[in-house]
Amino acid sequence: MNEFELIADLFAPLATTPGAFGLKDDAAVFRAPEGFETVITKDVMIEGVHYLSGTNPARVAQKLLRVNLSDLAAMGAEPQSYLLGCQFREDVSQNWLHEFAQGLTEDQTTFGISLLGGDTTKTPGPNAFSLTAIGALPQGTAIRRSGVQPGDEIWVSGTIGDGAMGLMMAKGEYTPKDASDAPFLKDCLELPTPRIGLGQRLRGIASAAIDVSDGLIADLGHLARASGVGLTLAADAVPLSDPCRRALAEGASDLATLLTGGDDYELAFSAPAGSRDGLLSAADDAHVAITLVGLASDGEGTVRVLNEGQPMAVSQSGYRHF
Amino acid sequence: MNEFELIADLFAPLATTPGAFGLKDDAAVFRAPEGFETVITKDVMIEGVHYLSGTNPARVAQKLLRVNLSDLAAMGAEPQSYLLGCQFREDVSQNWLHEFAQGLTEDQTTFGISLLGGDTTKTPGPNAFSLTAIGALPQGTAIRRSGVQPGDEIWVSGTIGDGAMGLMMAKGEYTPKDASDAPFLKDCLELPTPRIGLGQRLRGIASAAIDVSDGLIADLGHLARASGVGLTLAADAVPLSDPCRRALAEGASDLATLLTGGDDYELAFSAPAGSRDGLLSAADDAHVAITLVGLASDGEGTVRVLNEGQPMAVSQSGYRHF
């Protein structure tokens, strides 16, 4: 298949919104609903850097989409469409391409979105992808990183550390003793769940939010610096899955690794102390657990980590791609 | 510099629009003006595939931006902002990075746009970039590829073939006898001029438009298929620059190469036969020459090329990236 056949065969069927013009024009057209504004984000994912070679192609596509949707979720936006830039290796197989497109097809249904445009090319390098995700929210309601106030409580959705343990496992550095933990951790690494429903329900309640992609401590650092506050994280309060608890009990990992590993795609957010009922109700509606893990105070953009009340040493706060 | 320092140092100063949040949030926010809609496009550019290794880094950045702005121009949109995905080689130098950012800085001023967001990472492959360009136009006025009607005249802006000769020269396959031709052709290849002013003025006059990136004949083929018409191109009417005319005279190239070479970033567009005055006035306002090069007729999406009235053989219609 040449470039044009590939687009017609694999990608045009994904361009279900009229403004995509069936991927047959120079650009696409869209409009945010009346009273709404557009939220936009772009992430890059490279084979061997952001995901392991040999990962199921459908899941490569789905993770690419989901890490971007997670950014939209952190702003409180509803996803609408996306543009896709594909750099495929010279030796990519037809089967790989079809599975990649199948992953997008599935997730378009799951998240109610449409492909809007993009570009496809071959590369002498590894497979690499960029995705631009587009969402919408009522004008002026975006949840920013910079809104944390001293006295706010810090919350996190879901569980933290599963992506890090999933990566250790995928790299052959960890084999769970409990066999059922393996598929769970693999799914957490390869198929994260962007907290879209929660993000939208946090609009007007949360004072700030971020998605946990670089590692919880690093991402709290981003919140703290953007807001000009100090944050205290109670490491022992951070919610962990049973597989992660077992990995800790087996001595296969430590808490610092889980809090700095990244690839969680949970939301970390702040809210005034009086917001607990509203937050718990929002989380309940979104079918996701949330846990109180910290507190904001006057400060200079720093994160203090306590474990059972004692300062906890953390050598590296999070993953850096550069 | 790590990823965060790089973004803060090189890219945050480019994020001049408030909705970019200084590149410090999970996503950016923007809104099309009242009565307008958003036009969006995304192109990928890879070292050694879409540009030669050793190209001036400022120009790599500028070409990346301009090929996307050319897509917006073809729709008739006014550029507003862009998102940037960078995959930098492990051995990229600080100097290279600074020159790359400097190219963006210059072109942001030239085109009145702002960086809105993106992602930066290192890659084991070649340098590779993706750019998502965002523009706006009055709702419902986008110029499509599909609007050519039988009887319409086909026009092209500027001159065709300069990018192709510039590439031959850059690859060492052509040395102009006239020394002043070399910088001209180099500039055409490395620093194309997106026809933004013309594109906007063609709204309501042109029946269809495309930007000439794959090669004039190939791009006319896209127009013909999207519109379900036949197109006849008078090859001898296609406007050529003096350097290209000299290359032809020297036997260094042939007309077919110039008409299929790509990288022109001119606009090819159609309009009813009675539109000449309006078109010429629009082109005059946009300070660019336009030339009548063909005619649309009933047909099945094919392009017939005539040279001095005789059918012209063209072996390959245009560049294919895949």
Side-chain angles (χ1 to χ4, degrees):
Chain A
M1 279 197 285
N2 68 36
E3 177 189 0
F4 301 116
E5 290 163 351
L6 190 75
I7 291 169
D9 186 37
L10 293 185
F11 295 136
L14 299 172
T16 54
T17 188
F21 303 137
L23 307 183
K24 285 183 179 167
D25 234 303
D26 287 287
V29 173
F30 72 94
R31 204 161 47 97
E34 191 66 31
F36 281 62
E37 54 194 350
T38 298
V39 181
I40 193 162
T41 186
K42 181 187 180 99
D43 267 346
V44 169
M45 225 170 82
I46 306 174
E47 176 186 8
V49 179
H50 302 90
Y51 69 93
L52 299 175
S53 291
T55 302
N56 175 298
R59 291 191 159 198
V60 170
Q62 289 171 300
K63 183 160 183 178
L64 172 69
L65 193 50
R66 290 170 179 221
V67 302
N68 279 284
L69 296 184
S70 180
D71 283 322
L72 295 185
M75 308 297 287
E78 179 179 6
Q80 301 200 305
S81 58
Y82 65 102
L83 293 93
L84 180 62
C86 294
Q87 303 160 234
F88 291 119
R89 277 162 40 177
E90 299 286 349
D91 64 351
V92 72
S93 70
Q94 292 301 311
N95 193 48
W96 203 99
L97 293 171
H98 277 280
E99 287 186 34
F100 181 84
Q102 186 54 38
L104 294 174
T105 304
E106 282 175 29
D107 267 9
Q108 286 201 181
T109 304
T110 302
F111 299 108
I113 56 177
S114 165
L115 180 62
L116 196 56
D119 194 13
T120 296
T121 188
K122 284 217 168 164
T123 177
N127 281 333
F129 306 96
S130 68
L131 193 139
T132 304
I134 296 167
L137 44 67
Q139 211 172 310
T141 64
I143 309 171
R144 304 281 313 279
R145 292 183 181 177
S146 55
V148 189
Q149 297 292 323
D152 280 359
E153 294 176 332
I154 309 299
W155 299 72
V156 68
S157 66
T159 56
I160 295 295
D162 304 305
M165 288 313 300
L167 182 60
M168 279 184 66
M169 197 183 71
K171 290 161 84 176
E173 296 167 3
Y174 172 57
T175 305
K177 288 208 169 63
D178 189 324
S180 69
D181 289 354
F184 171 86
L185 293 173
K186 184 178 164 74
D187 283 358
C188 288
L189 175 67
E190 294 181 352
L191 209 60
T193 302
R195 299 303 186 186
I196 293 164
L198 178 63
Q200 290 176 69
R201 288 173 176 86
L202 290 178
R203 292 195 311 249
I205 309 179
S207 53
I210 190 170
D211 83 314
V212 184
S213 55
D214 292 334
L216 179 59
I217 294 174
D219 287 312
L220 291 180
H222 297 319
L223 271 189
R225 281 189 296 280
S227 298
V229 298
L231 296 183
T232 302
L233 173 70
D236 49 304
V238 173
L240 302 179
S241 66
D242 287 341
C244 273
R245 291 192 179 283
R246 281 190 280 270
L248 289 184
E250 290 163 22
S253 188
D254 57 23
L255 193 53
T257 300
L258 302 185
L259 301 184
T260 58
D263 258 351
D264 294 301
Y265 304 103
E266 297 296 343
L267 297 183
F269 54 97
S270 61
S275 317
R276 289 189 187 189
D277 288 351
L279 290 174
L280 291 169
S281 165
D284 199 48
D285 289 347
H287 307 293
V288 58
I290 59 169
T291 308
L292 179 60
V293 296
L295 198 66
S297 57
D298 289 324
E300 300 288 336
T302 52
V303 178
R304 190 167 58 131
V305 185
L306 300 180
N307 194 11
E308 295 174 356
Q310 299 302 312
M312 178 175 160
V314 179
S315 57
Q316 192 195 351
S317 67
Y319 182 73
R320 294 185 166 187
H321 299 292
F322 211 80
Chain B
M1 280 197 285
N2 68 35
E3 177 189 358
F4 302 116
E5 290 163 351
L6 189 75
I7 291 169
D9 187 36
L10 292 186
F11 295 134
L14 299 173
T16 53
T17 188
F21 304 136
L23 306 184
K24 285 183 179 167
D25 234 301
D26 287 286
V29 172
F30 73 94
R31 204 159 49 97
E34 191 67 30
F36 281 63
E37 54 194 350
T38 298
V39 181
I40 194 162
T41 187
K42 180 186 180 97
D43 267 345
V44 168
M45 227 170 79
I46 307 174
E47 176 187 9
V49 179
H50 302 91
Y51 69 93
L52 299 174
S53 292
T55 302
N56 175 297
R59 291 190 159 200
V60 171
Q62 288 171 300
K63 183 159 184 180
L64 173 68
L65 193 51
R66 289 168 179 223
V67 301
N68 279 283
L69 297 185
S70 180
D71 283 323
L72 295 186
M75 308 296 288
E78 180 181 4
Q80 301 199 307
S81 57
Y82 65 102
L83 294 93
L84 180 62
C86 294
Q87 303 161 226
F88 290 120
R89 277 163 38 177
E90 298 287 347
D91 64 351
V92 72
S93 71
Q94 292 301 311
N95 193 47
W96 202 99
L97 293 171
H98 277 279
E99 287 187 34
F100 181 85
Q102 186 55 36
L104 294 174
T105 304
E106 282 176 30
D107 267 9
Q108 287 201 180
T109 304
T110 302
F111 298 107
I113 56 177
S114 165
L115 180 61
L116 196 55
D119 194 14
T120 296
T121 186
K122 283 218 169 162
T123 177
N127 282 333
F129 306 96
S130 67
L131 192 138
T132 304
I134 295 167
L137 46 67
Q139 210 172 310
T141 65
I143 309 171
R144 304 281 312 281
R145 293 184 180 177
S146 55
V148 189
Q149 296 292 323
D152 280 0
E153 293 176 332
I154 308 300
W155 298 73
V156 68
S157 68
T159 55
I160 296 296
D162 304 305
M165 287 314 299
L167 181 60
M168 277 184 67
M169 197 184 70
K171 290 161 86 176
E173 298 167 1
Y174 172 58
T175 305
K177 289 209 168 63
D178 188 325
S180 69
D181 290 353
F184 171 85
L185 293 173
K186 185 177 163 75
D187 284 357
C188 288
L189 175 68
E190 295 180 352
L191 209 60
T193 302
R195 300 302 186 186
I196 294 165
L198 177 63
Q200 291 175 70
R201 287 172 176 86
L202 290 178
R203 291 195 311 248
I205 309 179
S207 53
I210 190 170
D211 82 315
V212 184
S213 55
D214 292 334
L216 180 59
I217 294 175
D219 287 312
L220 290 181
H222 297 319
L223 271 189
R225 280 188 296 280
S227 298
V229 298
L231 295 183
T232 301
L233 174 69
D236 48 302
V238 173
L240 302 179
S241 66
D242 287 342
C244 274
R245 291 192 180 282
R246 282 190 279 270
L248 288 186
E250 290 164 21
S253 187
D254 56 25
L255 193 53
T257 299
L258 302 184
L259 301 184
T260 59
D263 259 351
D264 294 301
Y265 304 103
E266 296 296 344
L267 296 185
F269 54 96
S270 61
S275 316
R276 289 188 188 190
D277 287 352
L279 290 174
L280 291 168
S281 166
D284 199 50
D285 289 349
H287 307 292
V288 58
I290 60 170
T291 307
L292 179 61
V293 296
L295 197 66
S297 56
D298 288 323
E300 300 287 336
T302 52
V303 179
R304 192 167 57 133
V305 186
L306 299 180
N307 194 11
E308 296 175 355
Q310 298 302 311
M312 178 175 160
V314 179
S315 58
Q316 194 196 349
S317 67
Y319 182 72
R320 294 186 164 183
H321 299 291
F322 210 79

